[in-house]
Amino acid sequence: MTLNALIVDDEEYSRKSLYFLLQENCPDVHIGGIAKSVAEARTLLEEQNFNVAFLDIAMPKENGFELLPQLQSRNIMVIFTTAYDQYALKALKANAIDYLLKPIDIAELKIAVSKAVDWAQMLSVSSGKTAETAKPDVNANKKISLPGTYGFKVIDTADILYVEADSNYSIFHLKTGEKLIISKPLKEFEETLDTFDFIRIHKSAIINMKYVQSYSNKNGLQVLLTNNVVLPVSRRRATEFQEKARQYFTK
């Protein structure tokens, strides 16, 4: 699979350097557009379809993060290219494919491109959808594939304790203690997860019934999970949760 790439960087040297590095080392990448500002990038996004964007962060007027809404709305994968490492956490929340520090190392660039190609191919082959239109989905084996900072991660839904809303992000809490931060709203996963094992108990949480240790009305309805996390059940969802619990634990 050949990826159509957009380079966004305000420094001419950085644009040219990345262009030649990709041309010489990454045959799976076609450079479809080069922009020296976020404004120019927005114009190119209206003119053609891209699979991946190599995005600088520190730029005048608008920084790279301000372009993310347009990229994410088109499901364009993002590989950040920056001279600064203090943006790593924010890049994590943005679910970038990778985060490359300048001067860009050829081996690291190849790895980043390989992740992007693998992610695009997996979505295309497994679901018949393009990388631009595919969404996380549960397959027959109850697995879900989630875009992450280092490409994608396929997890078993049985390993999810609960999913927590954080603004427009969803945080997956796994039984291993790992947390996956995904730039998708919680509602999208409410519709995707196995409705038998999962239930939304609050505007900010979906839980896996498999990991409910107990629940109590002592201080308002609360659920204790097996990892000792206590989560509130909203009043309007209390009846639904209690009925679900009755059915689930007497099956």
Side-chain angles (χ1 to χ4, degrees):
M1 171 177 287
T2 299
L3 301 178
N4 192 34
L6 171 65
I7 294 175
V8 186
D9 199 309
D10 66 303
E11 297 178 351
E12 183 178 4
Y13 173 79
S14 294
R15 294 193 301 270
K16 289 182 176 179
S17 175
L18 180 55
Y19 176 86
F20 287 116
L21 285 175
L22 289 167
Q23 288 284 93
E24 295 174 7
N25 300 283
C26 303
D28 293 323
V29 176
H30 166 73
I31 310 300
I34 300 177
K36 62 178 181 287
S37 68
V38 168
E40 282 191 10
R42 289 196 181 102
T43 299
L44 290 173
L45 290 173
E46 296 300 323
E47 295 174 352
Q48 61 177 297
N49 295 322
F50 295 97
N51 303 92
V52 62
F54 291 87
L55 183 61
D56 187 22
I57 296 176
M59 292 183 284
K61 294 185 179 180
E62 294 180 281
N63 65 43
F65 288 115
E66 293 177 86
L67 185 63
L68 285 179
Q70 286 76 34
L71 298 175
Q72 291 173 341
S73 69
R74 293 168 170 80
N75 289 309
I76 297 173
M77 296 173 286
V78 175
I79 297 174
F80 282 110
T81 57
T82 179
Y84 308 98
D85 60 4
Q86 68 262 37
Y87 299 111
L89 179 59
K90 195 169 182 180
L92 171 68
K93 287 192 173 184
N95 293 311
I97 290 290
D98 215 332
Y99 184 89
L100 303 176
L101 286 175
K102 300 175 184 177
I104 294 174
D105 179 82
I106 294 176
E108 292 180 357
L109 177 62
K110 288 181 177 180
I111 291 171
V113 168
S114 177
K115 291 173 185 175
V117 171
D118 287 347
W119 175 232
Q121 286 180 335
M122 186 206 69
L123 291 175
S124 297
V125 172
S126 65
S127 65
K129 300 175 183 177
T130 65
E132 289 83 5
T133 60
K135 293 183 177 180
D137 194 14
V138 176
N139 65 20
N141 295 321
K142 294 187 179 180
K143 293 184 181 295
I144 187 170
S145 49
L146 303 171
T149 303
Y150 301 108
F152 65 90
K153 185 155 189 159
V154 179
I155 60 174
D156 194 320
T157 57
D159 292 336
I160 303 169
L161 278 79
Y162 68 103
V163 188
E164 175 188 11
D166 182 4
S167 185
N168 289 324
Y169 298 100
S170 296
I171 304 173
F172 281 69
H173 296 260
L174 307 185
K175 68 179 183 180
T176 59
E178 183 180 4
K179 297 180 183 179
L180 301 177
I181 303 173
I182 309 299
S183 59
K184 302 280 185 182
L186 194 63
K187 182 173 177 57
E188 184 162 335
F189 296 107
E190 182 181 13
E191 299 170 356
T192 303
L193 291 168
D194 182 346
T195 55
F196 183 75
D197 291 328
F198 291 84
I199 183 171
R200 189 162 187 169
I201 61 169
H202 191 275
K203 66 180 181 179
S204 299
I206 295 173
I207 64 169
N208 188 340
M209 294 296 293
K210 175 181 177 181
Y211 296 104
V212 173
Q213 181 170 299
S214 65
Y215 57 95
S216 169
N217 276 308
K218 184 176 181 181
N219 298 305
L221 187 56
Q222 294 180 321
V223 176
L224 173 65
L225 301 182
T226 54
N227 64 342
N228 293 321
V229 168
V230 177
L231 297 171
V233 180
S234 68
R235 288 184 179 180
R236 75 183 192 89
R237 296 181 183 272
T239 300
E240 179 185 358
F241 167 76
Q242 289 174 315
E243 178 61 22
K244 179 94 169 183
R246 185 186 65 79
Q247 294 177 357
Y248 189 88
F249 294 116
T250 58
K251 65 183 179 178

